[in-house]
């Protein structure tokens, strides 16, 4: 990122992450002002005055409902073009590094013939991040692949994981866990990946974190015909010309929204997501606090008001975040003792009757809990309160969800379905793929 763009992006993130980072009324006021301007306008509001620089990164735009899916898609496209422009300046160095002649898309060699195992590479910067959900959710994902048919490699950008699920993944994958320091030049990372002649590459980050992955894959794409699949990190439209496919399901991307997604889509039969974490009534929000906004918090406090014997469990990002939340409770008439915090989202997840966006709806429906999906905020609150008040309804929902454990926890079944998708991609199938 250019220095000015980085400062703009970070300043927005610092103000938008009210509950996580704001420690003063002035910071909270700045955040509310930013949201207000976004609600009053559209894509123009998220570009800076100089050169159309993005003020709101694609991942943050997903939290601004007033932009609409079209605005969120356009932001992703805008950022992807900037990444492609940066990559174009690196491509000469890429081919000098690999001693190859630069290729344009139409000059790429044809895919190799698959007389042996299909080579699949997964790229992520998140396995070694403490507390990041990806290594928890995908702990046993990679070893669930059929080793006789698929040759799987993880390219882990960042420090070596020393504990937790990241260390478990590293141990199980052995030499197929390729560690790459974050300060490695994109050209070198791309060369390392292309040297293994991958058949399919899976981007587990996209716009959800560092641009290093997208920049690297743009360089990779100029040297290999391997399809690039977006999964897990960024559920919005990637907007990237180098990304050929995206894993979704029919709830995350219903037919009415298909035109707002770029590239080909791979529709999983149940939920595109998998691997969920296995007497007062506990509501839980165990996602990153900096994804929250005042409207959502206010909705949860209204639920607590209507469910007087309930508590709200939240993931903590530090003392400042906790103080901000507790200050909001007093303003909304909620006793501070009814809000609890935990440092690790996996630590207390099983205690919660989780408040779950289309991704949340996908998970609920895959679990047989379609009754938990609301079409608007008031309906969402009514469902949450009914779970508290109506024991028969609550137990019926729990029973249905427990009966759907294979769809939620069935890692091997999910990977087997995904492998069918890989085969169809590698076989050259065009357009959307329904599994």
């Amino acid at each position: 990122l250019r220095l000015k763009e980085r400062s703009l992006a970070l300043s927005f993130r610092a103000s938008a992450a009210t509950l996580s980072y704001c420690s003063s009324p002035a910071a909270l006021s700045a955040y509310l002002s930013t949201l207000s301007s976004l609600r009053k306008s559209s894509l123009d509001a998220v570009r800076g005055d100089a050169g159309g620089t993005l003020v709101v990164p694609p991942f943050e735009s997903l939290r601004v409902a007033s932009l609409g899916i079209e605005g969120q898609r356009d932001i992703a496209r805008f950022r992807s073009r900037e990444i492609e422009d940066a990559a174009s300046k690196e491509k000469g160095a890429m081919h000098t590094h690999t001693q190859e002649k630069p290729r344009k898309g139409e000059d790429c060699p044809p895919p190799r013939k698959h007389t042996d195992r299909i080579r699949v590479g997964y790229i992520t910067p998140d396995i070694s991040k403490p507390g990041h959900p990806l290594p928890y959710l995908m702990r046993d994902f990679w070893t669930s692949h059929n080793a006789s048919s698929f040759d799987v490699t993880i390219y882990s950008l960042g420090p070596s994981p020393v504990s937790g699920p990241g260390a478990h993944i590293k141990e199980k994958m052995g030499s197929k866990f390729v560690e790459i320091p974050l300060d490695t030049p994109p050209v070198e990372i791309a060369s390392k990946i292309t040297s293994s002649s991958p058949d399919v590459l899976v981007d587990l980050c996209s716009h959800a974190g560092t641009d290093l992955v997208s920049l690297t894959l743009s360089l990779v794409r100029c040297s290999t015909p391997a399809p690039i699949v977006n999964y897990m990190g960024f559920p919005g439209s990637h907007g990237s010309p180098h990304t050929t496919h995206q894993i979704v399901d029919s709830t995350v991307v219903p037919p009415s929204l298909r035109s707002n997604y770029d590239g080909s889509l791979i529709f999983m039969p149940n939920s595109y997501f998998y691997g969920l974490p296995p007497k007062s009534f506990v509501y839980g929000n165990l996602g990153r606090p900096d994804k929250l906004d005042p409207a959502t918090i206010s909705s949860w406090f209204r639920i607590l008001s209507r469910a007087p014997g309930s508590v709200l469990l939240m993931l903590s990002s530090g003392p400042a975040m906790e103080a901000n939340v507790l200050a909001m409770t007093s303003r909304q008439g909620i006793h501070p003792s009814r809000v609890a915090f935990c440092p690790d989202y996996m630590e207390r997840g099983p205690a919660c009757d989780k408040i779950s966006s289309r991704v949340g709806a996908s998970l609920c429906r895959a679990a047989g809990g379609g009754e938990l999906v609301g079409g608007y905020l008031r309906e969402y609150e009514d469902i949450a309160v009914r779970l508290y008040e109506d024991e028969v309804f609550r137990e019926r929902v729990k029973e249905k969800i427990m009966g759907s454990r294979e769809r939620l926890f069935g890692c091997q079944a999910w990977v087997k379905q995904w492998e069918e998708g890989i085969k169809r991609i590698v076989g050259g199938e065009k357009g959307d793929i329904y599994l």
Side-chain angles (χ1 to χ4, degrees):
L1 290 174
R2 295 183 295 277
L3 182 60
K4 180 176 180 182
E5 180 181 356
R6 180 178 292 276
S7 65
L8 286 168
L10 290 177
S11 66
F12 176 84
R13 190 171 182 83
S15 60
T18 314
L19 304 172
S20 188
Y21 302 113
C22 290
S23 57
S24 69
L28 178 59
S29 176
Y31 167 69
L32 295 174
S33 176
T34 301
L35 275 190
S36 177
S37 70
L38 289 172
R39 292 190 178 108
K40 291 177 181 177
S41 56
S42 58
L43 183 59
D44 291 340
V46 299
R47 293 179 180 170
D49 295 331
T53 297
L54 280 181
V55 177
V56 181
F59 192 76
E60 308 296 349
S61 76
L62 298 180
R63 304 189 300 119
V64 185
S66 60
L67 289 172
I69 192 170
E70 297 89 353
Q72 294 162 349
R73 175 204 62 202
D74 290 346
I75 289 172
R77 287 177 177 174
F78 188 90
R79 183 65 195 131
S80 293
R81 286 198 299 272
E82 293 188 320
I83 293 171
E84 291 296 313
D85 289 344
S88 67
K89 298 174 183 178
E90 299 275 353
K91 287 177 182 177
M94 166 79 177
H95 295 290
T96 299
H97 185 81
T98 58
Q99 301 298 308
E100 292 181 7
K101 185 178 180 180
R103 300 189 184 104
K104 295 183 178 179
E106 62 271 18
D107 298 325
C108 286
R112 66 184 181 86
K113 294 182 179 180
H114 298 288
T115 56
D116 53 6
R117 296 185 297 168
I118 296 175
R119 299 171 187 165
V120 185
Y122 292 87
I123 302 94
T124 174
D126 297 321
I127 286 180
S128 61
K129 290 181 180 177
H132 196 282
L134 184 137
Y136 288 97
L137 294 171
M138 304 191 74
R139 184 177 186 272
D140 299 311
F141 175 91
W142 292 284
T143 53
S144 295
H145 272 291
N146 182 348
S148 64
S149 301
F150 294 87
D151 181 1
V152 176
T153 301
I154 300 174
Y155 298 95
S156 177
L157 309 184
S160 180
V162 295
S163 62
H168 170 85
I169 294 168
K170 176 182 176 180
E171 178 184 0
K172 291 296 184 181
M173 293 299 294
S175 63
K176 290 297 183 176
F177 188 87
V178 179
E179 297 179 277
I180 302 174
L182 274 175
D183 58 358
T184 305
V187 167
E188 292 185 22
I189 303 174
S191 297
K192 181 182 289 289
I193 293 172
T194 56
S195 67
S196 66
S197 301
D199 297 306
V200 175
L201 291 168
V202 183
D203 177 0
L204 295 172
C205 178
S206 187
H207 297 297
T210 173
D211 286 330
L212 179 60
V213 175
S214 293
L215 179 58
T216 296
L217 290 175
S218 181
L219 294 170
V220 167
R221 188 64 178 162
C222 77
S223 299
T224 175
I228 296 175
V229 181
N230 173 33
Y231 179 52
M232 187 61 81
F234 187 74
S237 178
H238 52 77
S240 171
H242 69 251
T243 301
T244 58
H245 296 76
Q246 181 166 351
I247 298 177
V248 298
D249 60 53
S250 58
T251 299
V252 172
V253 185
S256 61
L257 299 181
R258 173 62 186 90
S259 62
N260 293 294
Y261 280 74
D262 295 310
S264 297
L265 301 184
I266 303 169
F267 287 86
M268 299 302 292
N270 294 311
S271 176
Y272 96 108
F273 215 102
Y274 87 100
L276 295 179
K279 180 125 178 168
S280 60
F281 189 90
V282 183
Y283 293 108
N285 172 70
L286 303 178
R288 275 172 34 203
D290 63 341
K291 295 181 180 180
L292 304 180
D293 60 80
T296 302
I297 290 293
S298 295
S299 175
W300 292 343
F301 287 164
R302 287 194 295 272
I303 291 170
L304 292 182
S305 295
R306 295 171 61 190
S310 64
V311 297
L312 172 63
L313 179 66
M314 300 183 67
L315 180 67
S316 174
S317 63
M321 172 265 184
E322 294 180 17
N324 285 328
V325 173
L326 294 177
M328 292 179 71
T329 63
S330 61
R331 292 196 296 271
Q332 300 209 26
I334 301 296
H335 195 279
S337 65
R338 296 184 62 197
V339 180
F341 303 94
C342 63
D344 187 330
Y345 88 106
M346 294 294 289
E347 178 182 304
R348 295 302 299 274
C352 303
D353 296 280
K354 294 185 179 71
I355 302 175
S356 284
S357 111
R358 288 197 308 276
V359 170
S362 167
L363 293 172
C364 284
R365 286 174 174 151
E371 308 100 311
L372 303 180
V373 179
Y376 49 92
L377 198 58
R378 176 66 188 198
E379 185 179 0
Y380 165 84
E381 294 173 11
D382 289 344
I383 293 169
V385 173
R386 185 182 178 191
L387 284 169
Y388 167 77
E389 295 178 335
D390 188 339
E391 184 176 357
V392 174
F393 172 68
R394 181 171 68 247
E395 292 305 314
R396 186 176 75 244
V397 170
K398 284 184 177 180
E399 184 177 348
K400 290 175 67 176
I401 291 176
M402 292 303 293
S404 304
R405 288 180 64 85
E406 180 58 30
R407 287 202 294 269
L408 290 175
F409 295 89
C411 181
Q412 290 186 338
W414 196 100
V415 172
K416 186 175 181 180
Q417 293 166 346
W418 163 226
E419 288 176 345
E420 289 302 312
I422 295 174
K423 292 175 182 177
R424 290 166 67 175
I425 294 171
V426 171
E429 184 169 334
K430 305 298 183 183
D432 292 347
I433 295 174
Y434 290 83
L435 299 175

